[in-house]
Amino acid sequence: MKPSPLVQIKLIVISAPSGAGKTTLCKKLLEDFDELILSISTTTRPPRGDETHGREYFFVSKDEFEKQIRKNKFAEWAMVHGNYYGTSKEVISSAAEQGKTVLLDIDVQGAASLRNLYSKSCLMVFITPPSLMELGKRLKARGTDNEQAIEKRLKNAASEMGRTSEFDHVIINDSLERAYEELKKLVKKHLLRPATDLNG
């Protein structure tokens, strides 16, 4: 039997407090770079609205998720508000086999796990709002959370913003267009780097 070729991998990990514009920036990257593929997380929470298995998330039972944890199938995972969320190692290796760079829209805890596992392969970027006060205004303007939920998000944001030293780059999203141009330059530079082995 011929030995299987080494899978070469590159990851772009984007983290930010809720409301800082991370999802919008990631969407713009996917529109502009064919080389990128968005990582789809696995979760035990039920689908919402028209969410579809394999598109927004891989929806599995709690038992199945815990079985995958025991088998070390996740690059990172966490329990959030009573539901499991995780990034499957298979999703990352499958993208790498297609020659794609994996884009991950993920929290700081997940980002830390990915950095530990794929240290040489990651571009780690943290998107921060200009201030917590500005973030509070944005969260209120969205109209999706009550005051209690907003306070909780701001408390989490303060904690996350205290961990920016764990990232390669910090981008202040004071203007979406300016922040995107800065992010785009970093991504272009990372895409030019040679990929590393899957366990790199």
Side-chain angles (χ1 to χ4, degrees), residues 1-195:
M1 269 176 66
K2 285 165 66 178
S4 59
L6 281 173
V7 177
Q8 301 281 295
I9 185 168
K10 276 192 236 179
L11 304 177
I12 295 170
V13 178
I14 313 282
S15 293
S18 179
K22 168 175 54 121
T23 304
T24 303
L25 290 167
C26 285
K27 280 181 182 170
K28 288 172 79 68
L29 285 176
L30 290 165
E31 287 167 7
D32 284 350
F33 293 95
D34 292 338
E35 305 97 315
L36 298 182
I37 187 167
L38 185 67
S39 172
I40 299 172
S41 297
T42 301
T43 185
T44 57
R45 81 154 170 77
R48 294 176 189 150
D50 64 350
E51 288 180 339
T52 305
H53 179 78
R55 188 179 66 189
E56 284 81 14
Y57 288 95
F58 295 111
F59 296 100
V60 300
S61 67
K62 185 181 176 189
D63 285 348
E64 175 58 29
F65 198 103
E66 289 175 346
K67 188 193 295 181
Q68 290 187 36
I69 291 173
R70 289 193 297 272
K71 290 183 176 177
N72 196 28
K73 296 285 188 182
F74 291 110
E76 61 82 28
W77 64 270
M79 172 76 82
V80 182
H81 305 309
N83 289 301
Y84 284 117
Y85 292 82
T87 303
S88 163
K89 290 178 181 177
E90 190 179 333
V91 165
I92 291 174
S93 60
S94 172
E97 283 163 6
Q98 298 171 50
K100 296 280 189 179
T101 292
V102 188
L103 177 66
L104 296 110
D105 170 347
I106 206 160
D107 65 14
V108 290
Q109 183 181 333
S113 298
L114 289 165
R115 187 185 62 248
N116 290 337
L117 201 55
Y118 306 112
S119 58
K120 295 174 188 171
S121 310
C122 286
L123 169 66
M124 308 274 295
V125 183
F126 189 88
I127 309 295
T128 183
S131 67
L132 282 173
M133 187 183 291
E134 174 61 26
L135 184 63
K137 286 180 187 172
R138 291 181 191 178
L139 290 171
K140 283 174 188 168
R142 285 201 313 198
T144 55
D145 295 305
N146 59 32
E147 283 294 327
Q148 191 177 1
I150 288 172
E151 282 304 312
K152 188 174 181 183
R153 288 188 186 278
L154 288 174
K155 189 177 176 183
N156 288 342
S159 172
E160 289 170 339
M161 288 162 71
R163 296 178 64 175
T164 56
S165 62
E166 298 174 25
F167 290 79
D168 301 318
H169 302 277
V170 177
I171 295 175
I172 299 171
N173 186 9
D174 48 2
S175 150
L176 187 66
E177 289 309 313
R178 190 209 58 74
Y180 181 62
E181 283 307 310
E182 190 176 341
L183 178 59
K184 196 172 172 182
K185 283 177 188 170
L186 293 174
V187 169
K188 277 184 181 175
K189 191 173 177 182
H190 187 65
L191 290 173
L192 291 172
R193 287 180 53 192

